[in-house]
Amino acid sequence: MSEEQLVGIVLVSHSAEVAASVATLAKGLAGGAEAVPVAPAGGTEGGGLGTSAELIAAAAASADRGAGVAVLTDLGSAVLTVKALLAEGDELPENTRLVDAPFLEGAVAAVVTAAAGADLDGVEAAAKEAYDYRKV
C-alpha cells in the first residue's frame, strides 16, 4: 500500500518531548514504519507544557494522506482541545477521529496497524485493544 493511502497518526501530549519520543518509539517498534505519517503535537507554541489547537491542527494536516487521521492524546485537556477542534468542523482534515486508547501502547498498535495498510476503523480498533494489554 502506498504512503498516500495510509492512515495518519497524530500524538497529542502536554509535552513536546513526550509526543516526539512516543512517535519515535512507536515507529521504531513497528519496524521503522517509515511510510506511516506520524506527527507529534506536544506542548505549546512557546515550548511550554500544555496543549495547542494550532499545533494539533498543523500536525493533523501534515499526517493526512486522505485515508483518515487517528488522534491519540495523553491527558484530559488534550482530549478537550481535540474535541473542540472536531466540533469546529473545519480545523482538522476530513475523516479525523479522536481515538480512546492508552497513549503509548495505543500509539504503537496504531502505527503497526497503519503500516499493515489497515483503514481508519482498523487502526482505531487496534489502538483501543491496547487497553487490554496486561503487564502482570
Side-chain angles (χ1 to χ4, degrees):
M1 181 166 275
S2 72
E3 180 178 340
E4 294 80 34
Q5 298 172 312
L6 295 177
V7 171
I9 314 292
V10 174
L11 302 175
V12 181
S13 173
H14 283 71
S15 162
E17 293 83 1
V18 168
S21 294
V22 170
T24 299
L25 180 64
K27 287 186 84 152
L29 292 176
E34 291 307 317
V36 178
V38 179
T44 63
E45 288 89 349
L49 296 177
T51 56
S52 162
E54 291 79 15
L55 292 177
I56 295 166
S62 74
D64 182 27
R65 301 292 185 274
V69 177
V71 180
L72 286 83
T73 61
D74 63 356
L75 301 168
S77 65
V79 173
L80 296 176
T81 303
V82 174
K83 283 184 175 182
L85 286 167
L86 288 167
E88 289 178 26
D90 61 352
E91 295 296 317
L92 297 175
E94 187 175 340
N95 210 13
T96 296
R97 189 177 301 170
L98 175 60
V99 176
D100 182 15
F103 191 62
L104 175 57
E105 294 90 339
V108 172
V111 172
V112 167
T113 305
D119 64 8
L120 184 57
D121 289 337
V123 170
E124 178 179 27
K128 286 181 171 185
E129 286 174 14
Y131 273 127
D132 295 331
Y133 296 171
R134 304 302 308 169
K135 295 184 177 148
V136 289

